[in-house]
Every structure is written in C-alpha cells, then in structure tokens.
Amino acid sequence: RRRAGAAIFTTGPAGGPGMFFGADCSRASRVLAPSAMSSVKTASPEEVQALVAEGYVYVDVRTEAEFSAGHPAGALNVPFSSKGVPNPDFVPVLERALGKDAKIILGCASGPRSLKAAKALVQAGFTNLVDMPCGFTGGRDEFGRPTPGWSQKSLPTETGTPAGQSYADMKARTR
C-alpha cells in the first residue's frame, strides 16, 4: 500500500495488480496489470456518456437477452460469455467489426464481465479501451458500497435490438 499525494495505491496478491483509490474514495480505478495500465481506463456513466459524444463506441458485453431488456442508447452488443462459458468469437468479432485501434467502452451489468472482456482485448492488442466498472445496473465498490450504474443515473437507454446494434449485426459487420 502506497500513498501518492492524497490517493492510495494498493498492490494485489503477490505484488500483482491492485487498486487505485481517489482521495475521496468516491471512485476507484481497477488496475488490470502493469502492461495494461496505460491501455485501459475506467469511467463513470457520466464520463462514458461524454466519451460516446466524442466518438467512442459503447460495447455491451452482456448476453443478447440482457441487452434486449435494456442498454445504453446506441450501444452495440457483443456478448463476452453466456452462462459462464466464454464466447470464442468475442475478440474476432470486435477486431473484424471495429478494429484494434477503435475507441471502445466496455460495459456489462455490474462490472466483472467488462473487466474480463477488457483483459481479453488487451491481450489481443486492442489499444484504446475504457471499462465502466459500475455497469448498466450498478455494482459495488471495493468497500462494498453500492455504485449506481448507467440505468440508475437516468441516462439515455433503449430496449430491444435496434438495427445495426445486435450481436447478429455485429457478427456480419466488417470495417
């Protein structure tokens, strides 16, 4: 555990990846691994909304059913896993549809799947990734406190599978 000004950085087990806590502990950024630190950032739902307005693409890594039930407006659906089984097409679909240099935001329901998806994309060479750790429905921070997600912040949402946004559409898409 180290202090850097008013912030705190903790190392994980055996000196591995840790957590970074802001001075007020209101948000925490998860550090994936030393080599991935510069390639994956974290953002709150409000920050994600601003990034989307700047040209980032929001990729919802939840299942097709979860996506259809509700997602951030304009999000694309590429499931990372289904019932705990990784989707072997996740990386190839995103590489073919968006490219490794695309500005991508990853989100799930509450954070764990988008973090795993970010790790997989970093390993595949994607370079401009943002993870939204609180997800669509909200999660918990490192201290167990609730963190509101996209839908709880009253940000724009939609339901169903709008044309061009479904997993089937993403599988057929090429740059």
Side-chain angles (χ1 to χ4, degrees):
R1 187 176 164 141
R2 289 185 320 216
R3 277 195 177 273
I8 299 170
F9 178 77
T10 62
T11 55
M19 307 298 247
F20 179 78
F21 299 95
D24 63 357
C25 290
S26 61
R27 328 188 8 241
S29 295
R30 294 176 286 177
V31 177
L32 299 179
S35 63
M37 286 173 62
S38 63
S39 60
V40 179
K41 300 170 188 80
T42 60
S44 69
E46 295 87 356
E47 292 166 330
V48 165
Q49 184 181 32
L51 289 171
V52 168
E54 293 173 17
Y56 278 74
V57 176
Y58 188 105
V59 176
D60 191 320
V61 302
R62 297 178 300 152
T63 66
E64 292 174 86
E66 289 173 296
F67 181 81
S68 182
H71 54 269
L76 306 175
N77 184 220
V78 182
F80 179 70
S81 61
S82 180
K83 299 180 183 175
V85 177
N87 174 2
D89 295 326
F90 177 74
V91 171
V93 165
L94 284 174
E95 187 172 353
R96 193 173 48 252
L98 302 177
K100 290 183 178 183
D101 59 343
K103 296 177 179 180
I104 299 173
I105 298 164
L106 299 162
C108 62
S110 61
R113 279 179 286 181
S114 63
L115 179 60
K116 290 176 185 174
K119 288 179 181 180
L121 292 175
V122 165
Q123 287 179 334
F126 283 73
T127 58
N128 204 348
L129 303 171
V130 176
D131 179 32
M132 188 174 72
C134 58
F136 185 71
T137 59
R140 296 207 172 264
D141 70 12
E142 287 73 16
F143 300 105
R145 298 176 297 210
T147 55
W150 183 278
S151 63
Q152 296 165 323
K153 295 280 192 167
S154 299
L155 297 171
T157 62
E158 56 191 3
T159 58
T161 51
Q165 294 174 237
S166 73
Y167 182 43
D169 293 332
M170 290 300 294
K171 287 190 289 188
R173 188 173 174 181
T174 57
R175 290 186 282 152

